Amino acid sequence: MTVDDSASGASAPGPSGPGTPIGRDQHTPHHEVDHTAQPTADPLAIRLEQLILGAERRYTPFQAARSAGVSMELASRFWRAMGFADIGQARALTEADVLALRRLAGLVEAGLLSEPMAVQVARSTGQTTARLAEWQIDSFLEGLTEPPEPGMTRTEVTYPLVELLLPELEEFLVYVWRRQLAAATGRVVQVADDEEMVDRRLAVGFADLVGFTRLTRRLEEEELGELVESFETTAADLVAAHGGRLIKTLGDEVLYAADDAATAAEIALRLIETMEADAQMPELRVGIAFGTVTTRMGDVFGTTVNLASRLTSIAPKDAVLVDGAMAKELSRTGAAPVSEKEAEAEPDEGAAYRFALQPMWQRPVRGLGVVEPWSLTRRKRR
């Protein structure tokens, strides 16, 4: 393949530590590419960049690709997948960028990853770490770098602070990633059917704050931000504590999944109970569906996910609605009785049930036909 020396390349990744990618325009969303973006020439920004990346600028994108033994086309695909803006042929890349390219290309050459899979690895890593880096700067470093004494500038505080935090944050990031990787690998290897490693049967739940749009008009931006942060933090803690997995947060809504129906049900009711106990929080509604789910890049897709979302939209305030498959799974596993009459007929066994299910009126759900939702509540002890 002929390489065009004048071709525009995307900026490359830095080493494993956190930091802002070289040449990324700060006003450009991660999923877009700004072909006019150029690396900053601000002296402090360059010093911080060198501190975080651990190396000085040395290569243009073309030189980095050539040194890594990778075509400019493939290098650009990797860099753009990681969310880095094009920088033309500015000399802004380091030895670590070359090494990162060489590693990704090496995985493809060794047959460990296909080229599309390597691009997916770059994209998933870039999207995840970009969000993490933005959060650390916006919510963490920004607060810590407030000048401690009158007359001091944030600039005078930032460099030594980053110098102290960088190795600790890097070690912690690697630790959490290894823990999460171990947990995810454990879940996959326990699946009996190879096809279920990608298309798995899961319980998927949506939890949605009621009246959030009205709140955005009434609350100040700072108050709204604190409410959303409190909701997301509470939801994330409850999901993790009870054995579920937080898939994503959408401000006024969280999406979670669990391997078994009882876990998803317990999380839903705990969320309702916790939010009810907080007078500052609006009402919550939750929808759960059980069935086959396609997982990609940490997200979940499919009819089951869509059904859970629709159930949430029709759920009453401070209530949980589940689909028929979820109700059947709870009954099959002994978490809820098939019917209340059955539970009353067997008082000893009925005492072991954790949840109660009440069929609701069938109703049409857009795009999914007619469904029969079930109201899920915590079973009262007698």
Side-chain angles (χ1 to χ4, degrees), residues 187 191-193 195-204 245 257-261 264 289-295 300-301 304-305 323-330 332-333:
R187 289 193 296 268
V191 176
D193 188 343
E195 291 184 3
E196 287 191 21
M197 288 188 179
V198 176
D199 296 320
R200 304 165 58 190
R201 287 179 64 77
L202 298 174
V204 178
R245 297 188 300 284
D259 293 324
D260 65 273
F290 185 86
T292 301
V293 174
T294 298
T295 59
V300 291
F301 307 91
T304 302
V305 180
D323 73 328
M326 178 73 175
K328 186 179 295 184
E329 184 67 11
L330 287 171
R332 185 188 70 81
T333 56

Side-chain angles (χ1 to χ4, degrees), residues 13-274:
S16 57
T20 303
I22 298 174
R24 197 186 77 204
D25 188 296
Q26 298 302 308
H27 301 288
T28 304
H30 303 306
H31 63 279
E32 295 181 4
V33 176
D34 179 3
H35 293 269
T36 65
Q38 291 294 324
T40 179
D42 180 84
L44 175 63
I46 292 176
R47 285 182 63 216
L48 282 168
E49 176 190 285
Q50 290 175 357
L51 171 65
I52 294 169
L53 299 182
E56 296 182 357
R57 298 176 178 182
R58 180 177 176 183
Y59 301 99
T60 66
F62 175 79
Q63 291 169 339
R66 184 172 57 186
S67 297
V70 177
S71 71
M72 190 65 219
E73 179 184 358
L74 183 57
S76 294
R77 287 187 66 196
F78 283 149
W79 289 332
R80 289 176 183 176
M82 284 181 271
F84 302 149
D86 288 353
I87 58 170
Q89 287 303 316
R91 191 180 299 274
L93 308 183
T94 72
E95 201 66 50
D97 298 312
V98 173
L99 180 59
L101 268 184
R102 195 175 294 150
R103 281 176 172 162
L104 272 177
L107 291 172
V108 175
E109 291 171 6
L112 296 172
L113 294 177
S114 65
E115 187 173 306
M117 181 59 68
V119 172
Q120 264 198 356
V121 168
R123 179 168 288 110
S124 61
T125 306
Q127 289 178 356
T128 303
T129 53
R131 184 179 180 187
L132 174 63
E134 291 289 351
W135 180 89
Q136 288 174 332
I137 293 300
D138 292 343
S139 303
F140 186 49
L141 290 178
E142 187 172 292
L144 286 178
T145 54
E146 288 293 339
E149 297 179 10
M152 290 188 69
T153 65
R154 178 170 293 173
T155 297
E156 292 172 319
V157 178
T158 301
Y159 189 93
L161 182 63
V162 171
E163 192 172 27
L164 290 171
L165 283 174
L166 184 61
E168 301 301 326
L169 291 177
E170 182 174 359
E171 288 292 331
F172 186 69
L173 174 62
V174 172
Y175 156 74
V176 174
W177 171 71
R178 283 182 177 271
R179 266 290 179 186
Q180 293 286 6
L181 188 64
T185 303
R187 289 193 296 268
V188 169
V189 299
Q190 291 177 45
V191 176
D193 188 343
D194 285 348
E195 291 184 3
E196 287 191 21
M197 288 188 179
V198 176
D199 296 320
R200 304 165 58 190
R201 287 179 64 77
L202 298 174
V204 178
F206 275 95
D208 177 54
L209 291 176
V210 179
F212 185 75
T213 302
R214 291 193 300 274
L215 281 175
T216 61
R217 302 192 193 102
R218 182 165 55 86
L219 296 180
E220 298 290 336
E221 286 187 6
E222 186 174 346
E223 292 177 306
L224 190 64
E226 290 175 355
L227 184 145
V228 169
E229 184 176 358
S230 176
F231 169 56
E232 291 184 349
T233 300
T234 300
D237 288 348
L238 284 172
V239 170
H242 293 280
R245 297 188 300 284
L246 186 69
I247 303 299
K248 59 187 173 185
T249 59
L250 303 169
D252 62 330
E253 189 174 62
V254 298
L255 169 62
Y256 71 92
D259 293 324
D260 65 273
T263 296
E266 181 65 28
I267 290 170
L269 293 173
R270 292 273 183 170
L271 283 169
I272 295 289
E273 292 160 0
T274 302

Side-chain angles (χ1 to χ4, degrees), residues 298-318:
D299 208 343
V300 291
F301 307 91
T303 302
T304 302
V305 180
N306 295 338
L307 180 53
S309 177
R310 298 289 190 273
L311 288 170
T312 306
S313 66
I314 63 175
K317 297 177 182 179
D318 289 331

